[in-house]
Amino acid sequence: MLEDLMTTRRTFMASAAAAGAAGVLPAMLRAEAGGTAIRPFKVAIPRAEVDGMKRRIADTRWADAQPAPDDGQGVRRQTIEPLLRYWGGAYDWRKIEARLNALPMFITEIDGLDIHFIHVRSRHDHALPMILTHGWPGSVLEFLKVIGPLTDPTAHGGKAEDAFHLVIPSIPGFGFSARPTTIGWGSDRTARAWATLMRRLGYAKYVSQGGDCGSVISQRMALQKVPGLLAIHLNMPAVVPADIARTLAAGDPAPATLTPKERGAFDQLAAFYRDNAGYAIEMNTRPQTIGYALVDSPVALAAWMYEKIAQWVYANGDPLRVLTRDEILDDISLYWLTRTGASAARIYWEDHSNNFNARGVIDLPVAVSVFPGEIFRAPRSWAERAYTDLFYFNEARGGGHFAAWEQPAIFADEVRAAFRSIR
């Protein structure tokens, strides 16, 4: 552990020197200087903000416990109240703040917006640069457990030739990136911003990885053929063919021509749209309306996020089987303390699209890892229709929608294997 921290410290100092840094700027959400400079960043949430969060939790006016015997009406009070009482009591935000501040973090302005990112360079020669993009209701915290395995594989059971330089940005409107004040910051614009970021960091050739919103952004980068992008890796591919998408939208039965794996994916999607897509409809159409609750009430924010975390991890409905209480609350706290509940929801409105459906044929090299607990398990046949250069496809042995967060070792193995032929 000490060795990892010292390596991180040395990497941070080297990166800061390369960026021409004069020192760390003590800002809560952004560094003070502007322009295209790359400025070091530290998290420093004022104590009053943390105390205010806990005070609001203590003052919660709880909804009645639902009469339904299961979670068919939403998150059960019996489930979430103990978690949130811990949040308002013994939970310590400063632990994750210190963990973040041990990493080299930066802010840079792109297209008029401050973008926050973690940048960890490998000590291994010939490491492959990679940009990792999170989704909703996730954040850069999803990737903390894979930074070591991917940048320093020899210390984590891998080989030096599998090393990566990592860039892990916060999507605009999420975490410590600025909240857009004008419309237009959807996945297309973010994809262009990521290309600018990688170029600004000096990476002429690189790869991109993402799930959820990160999958969409990675695919938009590929569709735009942004300069320097060699290939992408997805753990939530958008591969549903147009004819299948229309059938699902109409609520019609599955076509008889589907293969068993295609039929399994169809049934998963049909169940998702029937039972669990209400949040997406709200954020696609009225993110501002739900946003008032997400920014004003920590319990509303927690319930909105926890429901999807619990449903999407591969843990039979109990996320505490694969994530700790603190890990879940760190992510929720990040949204609360940066006041990004509404701004993060707006990316759904900006894209106003279904993240599962194929959007044009991608001919850049694409790798796909299908995790067993994903919202739907994409069949290879659909992936081959959406991606003309599908150079890697594998069904992982464990993990769900938040693959890197849930199963960092499996995720790291998948990314290493996927990009091995690209180096």
Side-chain angles (χ1 to χ4, degrees):
M1 181 67 178
L2 179 59
E3 182 178 352
D4 287 346
L5 288 174
M6 291 302 293
T7 299
T8 297
R9 174 65 178 169
R10 288 193 295 269
T11 304
F12 172 74
M13 295 304 293
S15 298
V24 174
L25 299 177
M28 173 182 172
L29 298 181
R30 63 171 65 191
E32 294 176 356
T36 61
I38 296 172
R39 300 110 63 194
F41 173 79
K42 288 283 189 181
V43 182
I45 302 296
R47 179 176 177 178
E49 292 288 328
V50 178
D51 291 346
M53 176 181 75
K54 290 180 175 285
R55 184 171 58 253
R56 282 173 174 262
I57 296 167
D59 290 343
T60 296
R61 187 167 65 175
W62 292 93
D64 294 339
Q66 63 192 41
D70 54 25
D71 61 359
Q73 294 180 335
V75 181
R76 303 179 73 208
R77 179 171 172 179
Q78 298 96 315
T79 299
I80 201 166
E81 185 174 357
L83 177 68
L84 300 193
R85 291 202 181 280
Y86 168 72
W87 191 25
Y91 168 77
D92 185 1
W93 161 260
R94 299 302 178 193
K95 291 181 180 179
I96 190 61
E97 185 175 89
R99 190 174 176 190
L100 284 169
N101 285 337
L103 295 167
M105 294 193 296
F106 303 90
I107 294 280
T108 191
E109 183 182 313
I110 300 175
D111 200 7
L113 203 69
D114 271 355
I115 301 297
H116 160 263
F117 62 98
I118 299 167
H119 183 202
V120 182
R121 289 184 57 82
S122 174
R123 64 185 177 88
H124 294 294
D125 294 334
H126 311 299
L128 179 64
M130 177 167 60
I131 185 166
L132 292 169
T133 310
H134 64 85
W136 183 95
S139 65
V140 296
L141 302 184
E142 291 179 51
F143 297 116
L144 295 189
K145 290 182 284 189
V146 300
I147 291 175
L150 292 176
T151 60
D152 192 7
T154 58
H156 297 83
K159 300 178 180 179
E161 54 265 34
D162 288 330
F164 295 88
H165 301 308
L166 295 184
V167 179
I168 310 173
S170 296
I171 297 171
F174 287 73
F176 301 111
S177 284
R179 302 188 295 270
T181 57
T182 59
I183 63 173
W185 273 101
S187 292
D188 280 324
R189 191 171 180 181
T190 302
R192 293 191 294 272
W194 278 193
T196 299
L197 175 60
M198 295 303 279
R199 184 173 63 251
R200 191 171 294 173
L201 291 172
Y203 295 128
K205 301 291 183 182
Y206 61 93
V207 295
S208 179
Q209 196 288 326
D212 196 79
C213 298
S215 173
V216 179
I217 292 166
S218 293
Q219 290 179 101
R220 300 295 173 86
M221 293 173 75
L223 284 167
Q224 296 169 14
K225 297 183 178 178
V226 297
L229 183 64
L230 298 173
I232 63 174
H233 174 269
L234 311 171
N235 56 286
M236 193 196 79
V239 297
V240 179
D243 57 331
I244 301 301
R246 287 192 295 269
T247 301
L248 285 163
D252 293 337
T257 56
L258 297 182
T259 68
K261 287 197 172 183
E262 290 171 347
R263 178 58 190 266
F266 183 98
D267 290 345
Q268 286 179 306
L269 288 165
F272 173 80
Y273 294 138
R274 182 184 66 243
D275 300 329
N276 295 309
Y279 82 99
I281 295 171
E282 182 72 15
M283 296 203 299
N284 264 313
T285 60
R286 293 294 185 272
Q288 191 67 16
T289 301
I290 188 63
Y292 293 117
L294 302 181
V295 173
D296 182 66
S297 167
V299 171
L301 175 70
W304 191 252
M305 295 174 64
Y306 177 87
E307 176 182 284
K308 297 308 165 194
I309 293 172
Q311 287 176 346
W312 294 346
V313 298
Y314 193 42
N316 292 321
D318 182 4
L320 295 180
R321 292 177 178 173
V322 293
L323 300 172
T324 68
R325 290 185 302 178
D326 280 15
E327 285 175 324
I328 295 170
L329 293 172
D330 289 341
D331 188 53
I332 295 170
S333 297
L334 178 61
Y335 278 72
W336 175 262
L337 294 169
T338 57
R339 307 185 185 190
T340 51
S343 56
R346 292 189 196 116
I347 195 171
Y348 278 66
W349 183 91
E350 289 285 357
D351 288 349
H352 209 78
S353 62
N354 186 311
N355 291 347
F356 307 138
N357 297 350
R359 299 282 171 181
V361 175
I362 294 177
D363 55 14
L364 198 78
V366 177
V368 170
S369 295
V370 178
F371 288 83
E374 186 54 271
I375 295 171
F376 84 103
R377 291 185 291 276
R380 182 172 191 136
S381 57
W382 288 359
E384 289 173 340
R385 291 172 63 177
Y387 312 128
T388 62
D389 188 358
L390 182 69
F391 71 94
Y392 179 89
F393 184 95
N394 190 51
E395 295 181 358
R397 65 186 185 274
H401 185 70
F402 308 95
W405 205 20
E406 301 172 51
Q407 297 291 342
I410 296 175
F411 177 87
D413 285 345
E414 283 297 308
V415 173
R416 291 171 186 163
F419 287 126
R420 200 162 282 146
S421 65
I422 295 296
R423 296 172 181 272

